Amino acid sequence: MKPSQITPILAGILVLSINASAATNALPSSAALPVGSSTTRGFLVRTVQGPESPVLGNNSSRAIKQLNGTLLDANGVAVVNEAVAGTNSDGGYTVDTIDFEKDGLGFDILNDVGDIVFTSGGLLFPGIPGVPANPENLPHTLNFAAEAVGYLDLPAGVTTFGVAVGADRTDVNDDDNYQVFVGTNPRDAFAAPVAKYERSVLTAAFTANQKNENTWSVDAPVAGIYPFRIVYWQTGHGANLNFYSVDNTTGARLLVNAADDGAIKSYIDTSVAAAKGPYVGEVSPADGSAGNAATLPVTALIIDGAATVATADVKLFLNGTKVIPQLLSKAGGKISLRYDPNAARTDKANLIRLEYRDSAAVSRTNSWSFEIEAGGVASSTVTGQWDFDRGDLSATIGKPLAYFDGPTGLTQQGSVYGTTTELGVPMIDGVDAKIIKVPGTVDGVIKRELGLIMDHGIKPNGGGSLVNQYTLIFDILVGTTGPGAASLLQLSSLANTDDGDLFWQGNNFGQGGNGYNGTGAFTPGEWHRVIAAYDEAATPPVVTKFVDGIKQDDWTANQGLDNPRRAMQPTAILFGDGDQDERRDMYVNSIQVRSGKLSDAEMFALGGASASGIPKNIPASDVTGQWDFDRGDLSATIGKPLAYFDGPTGLTQQGSVYGTTTELGVPMIDGV
């Protein structure tokens, strides 16, 4: 991991050149309000802050619930809001621009050649630091979320924006985050998402206190006033939020609603009633999600606006049939709804329709869909498999892989298809199998362009907005030369501008502190079946690792729901390493990805690499624990390790002896 280039320091803030661009998103025509429907310039900003401890979840669900006042702690008690309230009716503030830094310190953002492209004035976040609920504690800048709402005056066509937020070392896993929504009422849970955070620290993966910039574009169908909402959240370390437009010709950044000529105008008001009316602030299960437990209730939160909603005017439908919620109550301008569907229903598909009528006699309808584990039984389904028998990236199951840098790029040029003998590596169980060699370097140099895009086909699950429950399996041989670590997977950056997220290293595999625990069985130059089974929704979140049917570890360090280094976006990059220092040649016979986390018994049953590839079907097993003592300790073959009753250095440990039957002076077992 090579050192990062560090640029000058301004007002005590470490300034780094980091940015990434995203695709253009079309704005919904329904969101275009008439020109002239807004008159007062500015943004509406509201902040909410939890206590300094415990650490709150670093995901969008936590931020939205915190903003809605529905976030609960581990004991089911509402998380207190310590932020200082503003003078607006909702406790928020009116500000001119979004240009915040937690300590009020300015900083510069530089482009790739070191030129200053944006200078922040470093305004304090409104309401932060707050007033601790416990008077014995000091004010702090942790565990807060913010929303910024502005009605933006946009021309027809494409407009490019930039958002900068705080980031830290890639292995700290504590970057700030944000999402941007546009809709008639941008606070509505069904407003269109148009941008979100992507980690992009090409030259600074292992430097603290960074400023991560994303640029992204929107395409307005007509000139008009478009309601925008930025949802931002901070957990720990540095914090900043800056929102500006980007000139596509010059690259110049200009704060939205700045006084400068050419700045995009933002307003705090609108004469359009629908943009100020009641809205659905939360729904669960999430729209488009899968793998939900059949017992999971359907919930919704309706929040009053300029008009209000009575519980008698709310109706709920499941798959076209009207149902009666078990909970339908109102408090503090919010209606909470919960319906407990039949857990024995057998149809995976669920369509919810929510209807309500407000005090202005306006009726609204929202629909969303999700899938359940029918019958209440969790399952793992193969959604993608690639066996390379055809000498290309075509799929055995699912969608084909793709070369990260295009069909004629460096990855394609360096990839070689053939048999194990033709490529000069050992056969698999004596069979000359067809494989692919994925290049580790180009002319001896590691390149960011190298990698394979995997469109895995798994829907968001685990209660988050990303894929939190999945299993990735490789039949693979790691090259014998190169750096001491080699990337297997890139999750956090679809542009591959960040360090990888799963590595071979030291004959084990994982990432970060305590991430490489194992038996040392993942040796280079030999074929192995390597499995990483993720459940970021578990308590605690975990990645279970197996090599050749042997359990390596239940890896729990630096995990969490929607963690960008653990949860999958719609695609992932196999063997990608954006900071260009940890790659080797990889020889691959088969790759498989499954929705859901395989059980230990299933991973044990899969055993080692085979020339025929990874099996699609795994024998059923209800074994939850097995201990075989082959490692000379209490580790598990399946399940959790045993533990000495009186502690790791107690009498049981002192008296326990590991060895062969012969060494321990007892008969062999069936002559072995």
Side-chain angles (χ1 to χ4, degrees), residues 161-193:
F161 293 99
V163 172
V165 299
D168 214 273
R169 287 175 55 98
T170 188
D171 49 1
V172 169
N173 287 325
D174 192 32
D175 293 359
D176 298 355
N177 217 307
Y178 74 90
Q179 294 180 340
V180 183
F181 304 91
V182 175
T184 303
N185 189 326
R187 292 186 175 96
D188 195 284
F190 298 96

Side-chain angles (χ1 to χ4, degrees), residues 110-188:
L110 313 181
N111 63 17
D112 294 338
V113 295
D115 299 326
I116 296 175
V117 295
F118 173 74
T119 297
S120 169
L123 303 174
L124 288 170
F125 280 90
I128 305 297
V131 178
N134 184 344
E136 296 180 358
N137 295 337
L138 296 175
H140 61 92
T141 56
L142 310 177
N143 285 337
F144 72 87
E147 70 169 4
V149 173
Y151 299 88
L152 271 55
D153 189 348
L154 297 183
V158 175
T159 302
T160 300
F161 293 99
V163 172
V165 299
D168 214 273
R169 287 175 55 98
T170 188
D171 49 1
V172 169
N173 287 325
D174 192 32
D175 293 359
D176 298 355
N177 217 307
Y178 74 90
Q179 294 180 340
V180 183
F181 304 91
V182 175
T184 303
N185 189 326
R187 292 186 175 96
D188 195 284

Side-chain angles (χ1 to χ4, degrees), residues 583-627:
R583 288 183 55 87
R584 287 192 180 192
D585 291 341
M586 296 289 182
Y587 300 84
V588 188
N589 179 55
S590 186
I591 300 172
Q592 185 184 98
V593 64
R594 292 174 174 257
S595 64
K597 179 182 185 290
L598 285 180
S599 69
D600 283 14
E602 290 170 315
M603 289 185 276
F604 171 75
L606 280 173
S610 61
S612 59
I614 302 163
K616 289 77 173 173
N617 299 312
I618 306 173
S621 172
D622 57 4
V623 176
T624 60
Q626 181 167 320
W627 302 269

